[in-house]
Every structure is written in structure tokens, then in C-alpha cells.
Amino acid sequence: GLDGKSALHCCVQPRAFGSFENTDMLQLLLDCLEGKDTSALHAKDSFGSSVVDYARRQRSKKMLQVLQNILQYCLEASGVL
């Protein structure tokens, strides 16, 4: 199975050791998040890893940058920052 992985997990880490760095697909999935809810980015899979955790482990950090941008945007939009 998918080991508890969401579509975001699979987009960021589609293979056991690597990513296709499909930032366009990641952005499309992030655009589907309802309102300012970022809980999907922190949801853990069966291995205890979140989407952000997988992105942090990648050498290029391209996927992490997209995630950080959306988190920043959501914080600003909700008035936290």
C-alpha cells in the first residue's frame, strides 16, 4: 500500500530514495488546500514522517522551498505574521 502517505507525500517523495522535484505538481496540490489549513503538510505517514520531513531530507531543497513559501503565505494570510 501507500503506508499512510497522502498525495502530498507521494509528490514530494515518490520513490524510496529520491524525488522527481515536480514543483509544479506540488504547487497544484497545495492550491487544493482549503483556506489556510496547513495540517496536511504536517500529517505523518506510517513511518512517522510528514511531507515537510521528506522535503527536508532532499539535497536540492527545491520541494522544501515550495512548502516553506506556502507555509509563509498561510501564516501571513491568517494574520499570524
Side-chain angles (χ1 to χ4, degrees):
L2 294 175
D3 294 316
K5 289 179 172 52
S6 68
L8 287 168
H9 281 94
C10 293
C11 180
V12 170
Q13 189 80 22
R15 303 164 22 130
F17 298 102
S19 170
F20 298 117
E21 296 183 337
N22 191 341
T23 56
D24 291 334
M25 178 61 74
L26 179 57
Q27 188 61 56
L28 180 67
L29 289 170
L30 291 171
D31 289 345
C32 294
L33 291 177
E34 294 192 22
K36 301 168 193 73
D37 182 13
T38 60
S39 62
L41 302 179
H42 303 289
K44 306 282 186 183
D45 64 10
S46 299
F47 302 105
S49 294
S50 72
V51 174
V52 175
D53 293 331
Y54 282 118
R56 280 190 183 123
R57 293 180 196 139
Q58 295 171 1
R59 186 174 298 166
S60 76
K61 307 295 186 218
K62 287 181 182 182
M63 301 297 262
L64 182 60
Q65 185 61 52
V66 172
L67 294 171
Q68 287 174 329
N69 289 345
I70 196 69
L71 287 168
Q72 179 77 19
Y73 169 80
C74 289
L75 288 172
E76 289 173 0
S78 66
V80 173
L81 293 179

